[in-house]
Amino acid sequence: MADDKTKRGSPDNKRLNKSEPYEVAYAKSKRAKAATAKATKTSAKSAAKKSAKKATGTASPRTSSTTRAKSASPAMKRTNAAPAAKKTRTTTRATPKPPKAEKTAENTAPKTMREADAVDLLTDDHLEVGALFKQYEKLAKKEAPADQRRTLAQTICDMLKAHTTIEEEIFYPAARRAGLDADLLDEADIEHASAKDLIAQIEAGNPDGDHYDAKVKVLGEYITHHVVEEHTEMFPKCRRSTMDLVGLRGEMEARKLSISTDRSEQASGSEAVNDNRGKPTGILASLFSKA
């Protein structure tokens, strides 16, 4: 009776061999096969969807916009993100380092890579005369002979006279025409006048005198102060102005050459006069020549 009351669709009735276990009989039944096929199909679909999402980076069309935004893949986030601003490398000019504790012509001279111009010419003069002043200082400490010190002092004076001449005749007037600060140029003229007065005293002085070396030293201090002001104030303004510095260099070089030529001619003339001293001239010269 128990077997008759059992439902027809139960797995127990489908067992062909009543002695085999229930689980084995269920595994062989159609219902188990159908369930297994359905599960396999479902898992295959889900795997296909996942692979499609990874490939395209988009959500299923059935999902809402909010759900799609929350479940967006990293690739999709990168695609939808706003384009990053392009980084532009800005080149800024380095701030110039301040001069050393002691301002000199060497550490205040402008360093440029442009075509040589009038400022470069004046800077070269500053550096050259600065080296001569240091050389004279060494001679004074060693108590070098008077002739040696006088020769070097005269060289310094000649260089400074030529330098101030080309500045006053060519460079400063061009700076005034370009609208450079008039007060700055007036101060430079006054400094030149003070230097010229001291140069005249040195040229007329005696190297064995007590104040000769001191005058050369004070002249060097005047020039150093003047040079530093030109390098830090005047020359930068000239660079930013409308001055034709390259053209001015040619004029200044020509004027400087003419000054040196005149000086050499004067020196040769004075030597000729010195050679003729003590020698007979006029009728006496003709008599001596006959003898």
Side-chain angles (χ1 to χ4, degrees), residues 13-279:
N13 287 334
K14 294 181 179 181
R15 283 189 294 174
L16 300 177
N17 188 1
K18 299 294 184 179
S19 63
E20 66 183 355
Y22 176 80
E23 290 79 3
V24 175
Y26 182 77
K28 292 180 180 180
S29 65
K30 293 181 179 180
R31 184 182 298 175
K33 291 180 180 180
T36 303
K38 185 176 181 181
T40 304
K41 187 176 181 181
T42 303
S43 62
K45 287 183 178 181
S46 61
K49 287 182 179 180
K50 289 181 180 180
S51 62
K53 287 181 180 180
K54 289 182 180 179
T56 59
T58 56
S60 175
R62 294 181 181 179
T63 57
S64 62
S65 60
T66 306
T67 306
R68 186 164 57 249
K70 289 182 179 179
S71 61
S73 64
M76 179 180 179
K77 291 179 180 179
R78 289 195 299 269
T79 305
N80 295 336
K86 187 177 180 181
K87 293 182 179 180
T88 57
R89 185 178 179 183
T90 56
T91 57
T92 56
R93 190 174 183 180
T95 304
K97 294 182 180 180
K100 298 178 182 178
E102 182 182 357
K103 292 182 178 180
T104 62
E106 288 80 0
N107 61 39
T108 57
K111 297 178 176 59
T112 61
M113 296 182 67
R114 59 178 63 87
E115 186 178 358
D117 55 20
V119 172
D120 296 323
L121 176 63
L122 298 177
T123 300
D124 292 340
D125 288 350
H126 293 165
L127 297 177
E128 186 176 356
V129 76
L132 293 179
F133 274 118
K134 290 181 179 179
Q135 185 178 351
Y136 188 91
E137 185 178 357
K138 293 179 181 179
L139 293 179
K141 288 182 179 180
K142 293 179 181 179
E143 296 182 356
D147 293 341
Q148 189 176 358
R149 288 184 288 115
R150 185 181 186 86
T151 301
L152 183 57
Q154 187 61 49
T155 302
I156 293 173
C157 292
D158 291 340
M159 284 188 61
L160 291 177
K161 287 190 292 184
H163 180 83
T164 55
T165 299
I166 61 176
E167 280 189 331
E168 293 172 359
E169 292 182 0
I170 301 173
F171 191 77
Y172 290 170
R176 290 183 186 276
R177 290 193 298 269
L180 212 68
D181 189 1
D183 294 336
L184 185 62
L185 295 170
D186 292 342
E187 291 175 5
D189 288 333
I190 294 173
E191 290 173 354
H192 277 194
S194 301
K196 287 179 180 179
D197 181 60
L198 201 52
I199 288 172
Q201 295 182 32
I202 293 172
E203 288 181 333
N206 184 4
D208 293 329
D210 296 335
H211 295 85
Y212 190 86
D213 294 338
K215 289 177 181 178
V216 176
K217 183 177 180 180
V218 172
L219 178 62
E221 293 175 353
Y222 276 0
I223 297 303
T224 299
H225 174 75
H226 176 71
V227 163
V228 170
E229 285 189 347
E230 285 190 335
H231 288 177
T232 57
E233 296 183 29
M234 184 183 296
F235 289 169
K237 292 180 180 179
C238 292
R239 295 267 191 214
R240 296 191 294 267
S241 69
T242 58
M243 296 174 62
D244 181 14
L245 296 176
V246 177
L248 286 175
R249 181 186 176 96
E251 297 180 24
M252 293 164 65
E253 284 179 335
R255 181 69 179 102
K256 193 175 180 181
L257 181 61
S258 66
I259 294 173
S260 62
T261 303
D262 294 341
R263 187 184 302 121
S264 62
E265 290 177 355
Q266 291 176 1
S268 61
S270 61
E271 290 177 358
V273 171
N274 292 331
D275 292 339
N276 291 328
R277 286 181 182 178
K279 292 183 179 180

